[in-house]
Amino acid sequence: MNKKTRTIAGKDITKSVGDALQYISYYHPPDYIRYLSQAYAREQSPSAKNAIGQILLNSRIAAFGRRPICQDTGLVVVFARVGMGVRIKSTASFADLVNEGVRQAYLDPYNPLRPSIVSDPLAGRVNTRDNTPAVIHVDLVQGNQIEITIAAKGGGSENKARFTTLNPSASVADWVVDTVSTLGSGWCPPGLISVGIGGSAEKAMLLAKEAMNEPIDMSELLARGSSCAEEALRIELYERINALGIGAQGLGGLTTVVDVKVATYPTHAASKPVALIPQCAANRHLTFTLDGSGPIRLEPPDLTEWPQIGEDLHTTSVRRVNLNTLTKEETASWRCGETLLLSGKMLTGRDAAHQRMVDLIDAGKPLPVDLRGRVIYYVGPVRAVRDEVVGPAGPTTSSRMDGFIEKILAETGLYAMVGKAERGLAAIESIVRHRTPYLIAVGGAAYLISKSIKAARIVAFEDLGMEAIHEFEVQDMPVIMAVDVEGNSIHNSGPLEWRKRMAADSIARSIGV
């Protein structure tokens, strides 16, 4: 055999993929933690600082507990560079080897990850129950090794991906900033924005997706200055996106992105394809190399880099709420931006459960659970292990429930909703009409939130798996009042306030005040 040829066992690919997915489920990349810690230190918005603090605390306890950072453990995306001098010893295809690693990781009995993949996107949308298949990209390259970059991409941020084809003379920076300003906060900032420019439509998207996994280095770039057009664009976008004042969780603040990535590729003279993909606070990826010596061995990161943040993050005044004695008069007194600590029993439900409930209402049939006087939490938790009541249980993007809200509120007597990110105009109109407020929990703090859940049981639609309706009993679950019964929204007022503050500070600096 040619000495440049190297044999890599298929089972080593499978085990390495599985081990890497387990690793990134509970360990943030240290560079993200460093940059987020810096953002926490300089943040001036109390709500945004609290949200960043919860994300950092959640990351630390998830790392020590080896449980998922986020309940959405992601769509698996693989970029593999396979050396042309590699012989893979296996009767299975490369895709089958990778997908077997995905299956083993998501069904791990000690740290089960939430399967989120549905097999038929058009009709049945049946969960595959093991999170397969992964999205796999393979390049053949020189060499006799296999380099794999693996990521677990959350649905909330993936849903905010955007693409356009600009005129060659048009400004990429303007399009990106204008687009980010319309994304809302469902992509769960602070995170990254990755931009791919050139090639074709699909190439631009791939450029953006792959660049997202590069090391975070914005501080170094700002310190030394740009040396090419791509770096200059990165700096411009970083400054302009943060100047939007969107802030952590869309609450208004100084940091929306900790970095911006830009990748380019030659394109047709008549074209300028541009892709934009956000990365949420659950920033999960890892690159490893297989050289034939066996599967990868992963060492834990240095957890002293994770800041020591106390569990009592609520430095501002809070209101404690007993969900078991809740009244319409009490919910009407909650005000936009107020922090509440919820205790008592609440229900859960997200997309599939809402669809079923609306179908039952339309058919004139009773619901399997009474929503009158209850609070519903938009969540699909991870399966519990060991002595857990429930696995990580952070909020999902609430706007996906907007199409159901009018019928649910009109027909059920629901008292309040808890989720993530902003609501649309029609949903806010329903909130006002039925005087049913909307609250948010911090996306990216799923394991921390699960610690406030003291009991959990499935009460309806068990066949939906993680989308079944549960009843949770919570104690001091932290939420922020997002839309009150008058229609005031923190996702409108917060970013507007901080955009004005930062603009005023910028003007003051420019004139030497």
Side-chain angles (χ1 to χ4, degrees):
M1 183 180 294
N2 188 319
K3 65 180 181 179
K4 292 184 178 180
T5 300
R6 180 173 288 163
T7 298
I8 295 177
K11 61 183 176 61
D12 291 345
I13 297 172
T14 293
K15 179 165 177 35
S16 298
V17 166
D19 288 352
L21 287 168
Q22 277 287 308
Y23 187 94
I24 65 176
S25 77
Y26 43 74
Y27 290 140
H28 264 122
D31 59 358
Y32 177 72
I33 293 300
R34 287 193 294 272
Y35 274 76
L36 194 63
S37 299
Q38 293 168 16
Y40 177 75
R42 66 174 174 263
E43 185 57 68
Q44 298 173 26
S45 163
S47 295
K49 190 178 185 76
N50 182 277
I52 296 172
Q54 287 193 49
I55 294 168
L56 286 167
L57 176 58
N58 177 77
S59 180
R60 182 177 175 83
I61 64 174
F64 278 102
R66 296 200 173 190
R67 289 292 275 142
I69 296 163
C70 181
Q71 81 287 340
D72 182 353
T73 47
L75 164 75
V76 176
V77 181
V78 172
F79 288 93
R81 295 173 181 81
V82 180
M84 290 186 287
V86 168
R87 176 180 175 270
I88 298 176
K89 185 178 180 181
S90 175
T91 58
S93 69
F94 185 80
D96 286 344
L97 293 171
V98 169
N99 283 320
E100 177 58 21
V102 174
R103 188 191 69 81
Q104 291 178 13
Y106 278 72
L107 299 181
D108 186 293
Y110 299 102
N111 181 37
L113 309 180
R114 194 189 80 182
S116 300
I117 302 304
V118 294
S119 59
D120 180 358
L122 281 176
R125 298 187 68 84
V126 177
N127 196 300
T128 63
R129 301 287 180 172
D130 59 7
N131 218 58
T132 63
V135 176
I136 304 170
H137 308 285
V138 179
D139 282 338
L140 294 179
V141 298
Q142 293 291 330
N144 56 6
Q145 298 179 328
I146 299 176
E147 181 186 90
I148 293 177
T149 297
I150 194 162
K153 190 70 163 61
S157 60
E158 191 70 359
N159 288 349
K160 300 295 184 176
R162 298 291 184 265
F163 173 81
T164 192
T165 300
L166 296 174
N167 288 328
S169 61
S171 167
V172 171
D174 288 351
W175 179 80
V176 169
V177 174
D178 290 346
T179 300
V180 171
S181 72
T182 69
L183 294 182
S185 57
W187 61 279
C188 210
L192 293 83
I193 293 292
S194 191
V195 180
I197 307 162
S200 54
E202 79 280 8
K203 182 63 175 179
M205 277 294 187
L206 282 173
L207 289 169
K209 182 59 70 68
E210 192 165 15
M212 184 178 296
N213 301 315
E214 295 173 357
I216 299 173
D217 63 348
M218 183 52 69
S219 292
E220 294 89 335
L221 177 57
L222 291 170
R224 65 175 170 79
S226 62
S227 61
C228 60
E230 288 84 357
E231 290 184 345
L233 180 59
R234 286 180 61 196
I235 292 173
E236 179 183 357
L237 290 175
Y238 173 79
E239 293 175 343
R240 290 179 63 183
I241 290 170
N242 281 324
L244 293 172
I246 296 167
Q249 303 294 295
L251 298 170
L254 300 179
T255 301
T256 302
V257 290
V258 297
D259 203 346
V260 174
K261 298 301 181 184
V262 172
T264 62
Y265 193 84
T267 192
H268 193 285
S271 302
K272 190 187 278 187
V274 184
L276 180 156
I277 305 179
Q279 173 58 60
C280 66
N283 181 24
R284 298 166 295 203
H285 58 86
L286 179 71
T287 298
F288 60 87
T289 300
L290 297 173
D291 60 7
S293 61
I296 56 168
R297 298 183 64 180
L298 296 169
E299 296 296 328
D302 180 3
L303 294 180
T304 62
E305 292 196 52
W306 273 242
Q308 296 276 0
I309 294 177
E311 294 195 21
D312 185 11
L313 289 164
H314 312 293
T315 56
T316 57
S317 60
V318 298
R319 185 193 301 218
R320 282 186 156 78
V321 174
N322 184 346
L323 298 177
N324 300 334
T325 60
L326 203 57
T327 65
K328 275 285 191 180
E329 291 73 23
E330 183 176 1
T331 62
S333 72
W334 300 343
R335 287 293 169 259
C336 180
E338 187 176 17
T339 297
L340 309 180
L341 296 178
L342 307 182
S343 296
K345 294 181 179 180
M346 62 167 54
L347 298 171
T348 75
R350 39 177 287 162
D351 313 51
H354 275 73
Q355 182 65 66
R356 283 200 184 176
M357 288 191 289
V358 166
D359 289 345
L360 288 170
I361 291 169
D362 288 343
K365 296 179 180 179
L367 299 183
V369 60
D370 190 354
L371 302 187
R372 283 179 298 179
R374 306 299 297 271
V375 172
I376 195 164
Y377 178 29
Y378 303 148
V379 62
V382 178
R383 181 165 60 88
V385 296
R386 298 182 290 276
D387 59 348
E388 291 178 341
V389 169
V390 68
T396 197
T397 307
S398 302
S399 59
R400 297 202 312 275
M401 268 52 73
D402 282 4
F404 306 113
I405 185 174
E406 173 59 30
K407 185 155 289 185
I408 291 291
L409 297 189
E411 300 291 337
T412 66
L414 190 70
Y415 271 15
M417 302 159 286
V418 181
K420 181 185 78 173
E422 67 285 334
R423 306 308 293 260
L425 180 60
I428 292 176
E429 290 173 350
S430 293
I431 286 169
V432 174
R433 184 179 303 114
H434 300 286
R435 300 184 69 75
T436 304
Y438 165 63
L439 309 104
I440 59 167
V442 171
Y447 194 48
L448 178 63
I449 291 170
S450 73
K451 299 301 183 183
S452 68
I453 301 170
K454 306 305 178 183
R457 65 188 182 101
I458 294 175
V459 293
F461 307 145
E462 186 170 5
D463 63 297
L464 294 179
M466 62 94 174
E467 294 209 61
I469 295 179
H470 296 69
E471 183 180 69
F472 287 170
E473 186 163 354
V474 299
Q475 181 178 333
D476 289 343
M477 175 180 168
V479 295
I480 297 170
M481 185 64 191
V483 183
D484 63 28
V485 297
E486 304 300 328
N488 300 304
S489 170
I490 194 170
H491 293 105
N492 293 331
S493 60
L496 178 61
E497 175 188 350
W498 284 93
R499 187 158 59 248
K500 289 179 177 178
R501 287 195 187 191
M502 285 190 282
D505 288 345
S506 178
I507 293 171
R509 286 194 301 271
S510 70
I511 62 176
V513 175

